[in-house]
Every structure is written in structure tokens, then in C-alpha cells.
């Protein structure tokens, strides 16, 4: 009996020590956030919840509506994959009707590439399908709005925010290589046959690599100017101005290479008729894009599945508005209202998105308890992956986080398994700061370390 009493006393002491230790970490978290230089000038909002007890552990400015940046991808991609399912395939399908017309039904496939189209053209040639009357493209799967509301005009030349279209191909970007020339300038080589002019005044022999790209869509969208100086040869990617033009140009070249002939009209838009026969297709599984969205923060992939979720749910051309309806209905069906937040896109690029840290952790709890969370978690970034490649290395296996960055905006959201075995949902939003991004990231990492208990 005496030994049992000692054992119970020991258990109580250990439990008290764990709770006391965690209480101290909350106090440390509070001092770290409120006492920081960032808190004097920037806006910081944070919410931390225990997912198993659905209880708030720490919060500060948790109701303020702020820009979530790319952390939004967690919430939009989960709603989209819930509608599309993990068995979804992006399909680019080739049909032929009784009049020998060829139809290409686009799938807004964000991972479709020229090599796949080349292989398919070879298959058509080998099967004897080399001459068609007319060639039509069915581009009805998503709408023709290439940017979402709230995207900035200068996102047009940002390689991380290419336009989104039914005509997705090669990531909707082209590659430009710069090599040294004899006159101290960098010679440019456009690694694509896409009809675009590149004017470069980039100088070689600089102390660092600095490149600026301009495109004047109001005068000539197919002329790009590159400025700056570089230490050594560089390669950059530039979004194409017209995905339809790029897609058709690429397809025409591949058809010529394989001697596939169109005797009548080519590349007019037309819905595939019911009596057309499927002759071949290109399939890419949705699982190809999930780590791209959650680990590498690929905006094209995020926006594509966002719109496609609306197309599938409502059996209609996918639009941003339909995708937002899918998003809202998913969280409503899981007892979480979206009335207090504003979303305008699927990637977090839009400056019109507004979320609160409180809503985000409640949404994280909802996702954590959902039936497909275990599979979703496999695609989330851990330290060493994607945008967490150089962060929080000691916590791999204990944190699953999505980063977010816009100009003067930084965010971090996801799950932290603490040293005492508890799992916490975390949402951290910081905006309107005037410090370098690396300092903000270090500040965020220390918050995660404190929550973990290191």
C-alpha cells in the first residue's frame, strides 16, 4: 500500500512538472511575441490550439483579419481534394468524330509538358491517324480569367505566379539562359520556339546576381526586357503572356514533326460532340501536384485544382466563384462558418484574401479530424522539404507546416507535435513589417521551437 502511494505521488509530481513546464513555455511565447521589435511596428496575430482537446492554448490578435499569403493553400487544397478525391486524373483527351475531325479536350493539367504532347503525337502517327479534316480544341473545362481578383499587375512577370488556363503547359513559363559574351554583356538564349523577343542589357562581372524583368503588356506583350548584372551565367523563367498561343504553337510544331495534317480549319474552339470517339489521352494523377502545392507552394497547381473542384462539383466550366462555393460548403458541412473571412483565390496570391488566426486554427482542427487527414498530412512540408528546406531541422518528424510570403507579409500555419506528446494547430500571421524576410523567418522559427518545448 505504501509503495502504491509512492507511485501515485510520483505520477502526480511528473504530471505537475509537465504542466508547469508547458505553462512556462506559454509565458516564454508571450514574452517572445509581445516583447519583440516586430510587435512595435508590425501586426502579429497568432492562435495555438490543442487539436485533441479543441482548446485554445495561446492567442494574440487572433480575430484580426490579415493576409494569409500561401498558408491559404492548406485550406483551399483540402476542400478541393475532398471534392476531386485522390483518384482524380487530369486528362488531355484526343477524339475523332465520324467526319474525321480531331478534337482535343483540355484538362487544365498543371503538370502537362511538351514531352508528353510529343509522345502522344508520335502515337497518333504510329496508329495511322495522320490526316484530319478540322482540328478543334475544347477548352471549356475552366474559364478564361487568367488572374484572380486582387492579383497585382507586376505578378505578370513573376515566375512563381504564372497565369492559369485550360491551356496549361510546361508550367506556363519559358526559360531564358544568359551566357557571357565578348562585349561584357550577357547573351540571351530563349529555350523555346515560342515567338517572343528578349531584349537584354544584363552586364557580366557584377558583384552579385541581380536581374530585373519588365514586360509592357499595353504595348507589346511578346517583348520582354531584362536588366541587371550577374557574377556568372544565369537562367531565369518568364511566364508566357498567352497560354493559348503557346499551347497551339507547341502543338503545331509537334504535328509538323510527325507529319500530322489538318486539311481544313485548325484550332477553333468547339465542344467535343457526344458521338466522337476517344482515340488517346494523357493522364496525370492529382497526387503529382499535392506535394507541389503544400511543400513547394506552387501557385499554378493550387489555382488549377481550385477551379477544377468547382467544375467537378457543379458539372460546369470551372470558375473562381464556383471554387469559392466548394470551399465554403466544405467547411460549412464540417460545422465551421466562413462568414468571418474573405477568400478570392486558391493560392493566397490575392491581396484581397483576409483570414484570422483564430479561424485558421479552427479550420486546422477540422482538417485534422477529417477522414482523409492522414493521407493529406503525407504531402505537407516537414523541415528539409520545399519551403522548409533550411528551417527547423531539429524538428523533423514533429512539425508539418505551410509557409506564406508576400511583400511585407509572412505567415506560418500547420501542426506541431510538442515534446510532451501533444499536437497543436498553429496559425501565425505577420504583416506590415519593414525588416528583411530572413529576420521574420527566424522570429517565426523561434515561436515554433517554443511551442514544441525545445
Amino acid at each position: 500500500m505504501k509503495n502504491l502511494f509512492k507511485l501515485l505521488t510520483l505520477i502526480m509530481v511528473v504530471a505537475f512538472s509537465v504542466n508547469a513546464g508547458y505553462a512556462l513555455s506559454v509565458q516564454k511565447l508571450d514574452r517572445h511575441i509581445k516583447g519583440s521589435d516586430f510587435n512595435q511596428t508590425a501586426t502579429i496575430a497568432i492562435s495555438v490550439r490543442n487539436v485533441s482537446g479543441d482548446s485554445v492554448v495561446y492567442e494574440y490578435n487572433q480575430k484580426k483579419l490579415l493576409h494569409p499569403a500561401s498558408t491559404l493553400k492548406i485550406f483551399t487544397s483540402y476542400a478541393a481534394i475532398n471534392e476531386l478525391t485522390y483518384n482524380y486524373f487530369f486528362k488531355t483527351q484526343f477524339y475523332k468524330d465520324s467526319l474525321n475531325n480531331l478534337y482535343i479536350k483540355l484538362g487544365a493539367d498543371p503538370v502537362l509538358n511538351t514531352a508528353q504532347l510529343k509522345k502522344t503525337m508520335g502515337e497518333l502517327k504510329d496508329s495511322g491517324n495522320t490526316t484530319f479534316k478540322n482540328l478543334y480544341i475544347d477548352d471549356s473545362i475552366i474559364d478564361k480569367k487568367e488572374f484572380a481578383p486582387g492579383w497585382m499587375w507586376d505578378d505578370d512577370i513573376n515566375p512563381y505566379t504564372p497565369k492559369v488556363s485550360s491551356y496549361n503547359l510546361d508550367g506556363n513559363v519559358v526559360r531564358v539562359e544568359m551566357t557571357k559574351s565578348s562585349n561584357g554583356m550577357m547573351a540571351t538564349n530563349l529555350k523555346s520556339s515560342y515567338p517572343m523577343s528578349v531584349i537584354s542589357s544584363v552586364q557580366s562581372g557584377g558583384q552579385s546576381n541581380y536581374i530585373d524583368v519588365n514586360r509592357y503588356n499595353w504595348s507589346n506583350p511578346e517583348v520582354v526586357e531584362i536588366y541587371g548584372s550577374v557574377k556568372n551565367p544565369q537562367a531565369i523563367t518568364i511566364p508566357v503572356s498567352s497560354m493559348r498561343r503557346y499551347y497551339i504553337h507547341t502543338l503545331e510544331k509537334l504535328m509538323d514533326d510527325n507529319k500530322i495534317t489538318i486539311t481544313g480549319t485548325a484550332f477553333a474552339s468547339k465542344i467535343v460532340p457526344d458521338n466522337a470517339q476517344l482515340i488517346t489521352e494523357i493522364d496525370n494523377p492529382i497526387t503529382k501536384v499535392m506535394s507541389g502545392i503544400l511543400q513547394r507552394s506552387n501557385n499554378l497547381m493550387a489555382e488549377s485544382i481550385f477551379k477544377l473542384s468547382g467544375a467537378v462539383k457543379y458539372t460546369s466550366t470551372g470558375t473562381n466563384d464556383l471554387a469559392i462555393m466548394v470551399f465554403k460548403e466544405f467547411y460549412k458541412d464540417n460545422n465551421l462558418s466562413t462568414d468571418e473571412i474573405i477568400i478570392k483565390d486558391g493560392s493566397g496570391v490575392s491581396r484581397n484574401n483576409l483570414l484570422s488566426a483564430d479561424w485558421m486554427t479552427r479550420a486546422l482542427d477540422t482538417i485534422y479530424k477529417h477522414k482523409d487527414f492522414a493521407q493529406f498530412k503525407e504531402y505537407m512540408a516537414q523541415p528539409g522539404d520545399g519551403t522548409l528546406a533550411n528551417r527547423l531541422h531539429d524538428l523533423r518528424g514533429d512539425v508539418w507546416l505551410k509557409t506564406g510570403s508576400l511583400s511585407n507579409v509572412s505567415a506560418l500555419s500547420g501542426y506541431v507535435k510538442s515534446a510532451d506528446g501533444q499536437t497543436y494547430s498553429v496559425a501565425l500571421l505577420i504583416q506590415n513589417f519593414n525588416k528583411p524576410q530572413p529576420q521574420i523567418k527566424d522570429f517565426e522559427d523561434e515561436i515554433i521551437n517554443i511551442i514544441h518545448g525545445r
Side-chain angles (χ1 to χ4, degrees), residues 409-420:
V409 174
S410 187
L412 199 60
S413 188
Y415 304 95
V416 177
K417 183 179 178 182
S418 69
D420 64 1

Side-chain angles (χ1 to χ4, degrees), residues 42-57:
T43 300
I44 302 173
I46 183 172
S47 175
V48 183
R49 289 175 178 268
N50 186 314
V51 295
S52 59
D54 195 25
S55 56
V56 174
V57 175

Side-chain angles (χ1 to χ4, degrees), residues 51-107:
V51 295
S52 59
D54 195 25
S55 56
V56 174
V57 175
Y58 180 81
E59 56 189 17
Y60 179 61
N61 288 332
Q62 72 280 3
K63 292 291 186 179
K64 287 186 178 294
L65 291 173
L66 302 173
H67 300 306
S70 285
T71 60
L72 180 66
K73 290 182 175 74
I74 295 179
F75 312 108
T76 54
S77 65
Y78 197 88
I81 199 69
N82 179 72
E83 185 60 42
L84 298 171
T85 80
Y86 289 97
N87 297 318
Y88 183 84
F89 279 81
F90 307 106
K91 293 180 181 291
T92 303
Q93 299 174 310
F94 296 77
Y95 290 85
K96 183 170 68 172
D97 68 11
S98 58
L99 299 176
N100 198 37
N101 293 314
L102 177 65
Y103 294 82
I104 303 176
K105 185 175 177 60
L106 304 181

Side-chain angles (χ1 to χ4, degrees), residues 205-271:
Q207 296 300 309
S208 61
N209 295 322
Y210 170 74
I211 298 173
D212 190 20
V213 181
N214 289 324
R215 176 161 55 200
Y216 305 103
N217 286 314
W218 51 89
S219 58
N220 191 336
E222 299 305 349
V223 175
V224 173
E225 297 180 349
I226 307 177
Y227 306 89
S229 63
V230 294
K231 294 174 62 177
N232 42 45
Q234 296 289 310
I236 62 172
T237 54
I238 300 173
V240 297
S241 63
S242 169
M243 286 85 70
R244 185 176 191 277
R245 189 180 300 122
Y246 178 70
Y247 192 102
I248 290 175
H249 176 83
T250 303
L251 193 60
E252 280 182 321
K253 184 177 184 306
L254 295 174
M255 291 173 69
D256 287 343
D257 291 344
N258 288 277
K259 296 180 171 55
I260 297 173
T261 304
I262 306 300
T263 61
T265 301
F267 304 111
S269 295
K270 191 174 182 180
I271 303 293

Side-chain angles (χ1 to χ4, degrees), residues 137-186:
I137 296 185
D138 183 345
D139 58 5
S140 62
I141 190 164
I142 64 173
D143 67 7
K144 295 176 174 58
K145 292 183 179 179
E146 300 167 341
F147 274 1
W151 285 34
M152 309 295 280
W153 71 269
D154 52 352
D155 285 329
D156 175 69
I157 45 83
N158 185 337
Y160 300 109
T161 55
K163 298 174 181 177
V164 182
S165 168
S166 297
Y167 294 88
N168 290 340
L169 179 65
D170 296 331
N172 297 343
V173 296
V174 293
R175 180 182 173 93
V176 178
E177 292 183 350
M178 289 175 285
T179 56
K180 277 190 177 181
S181 60
S182 57
N183 62 359
M185 307 294 284
M186 299 296 288

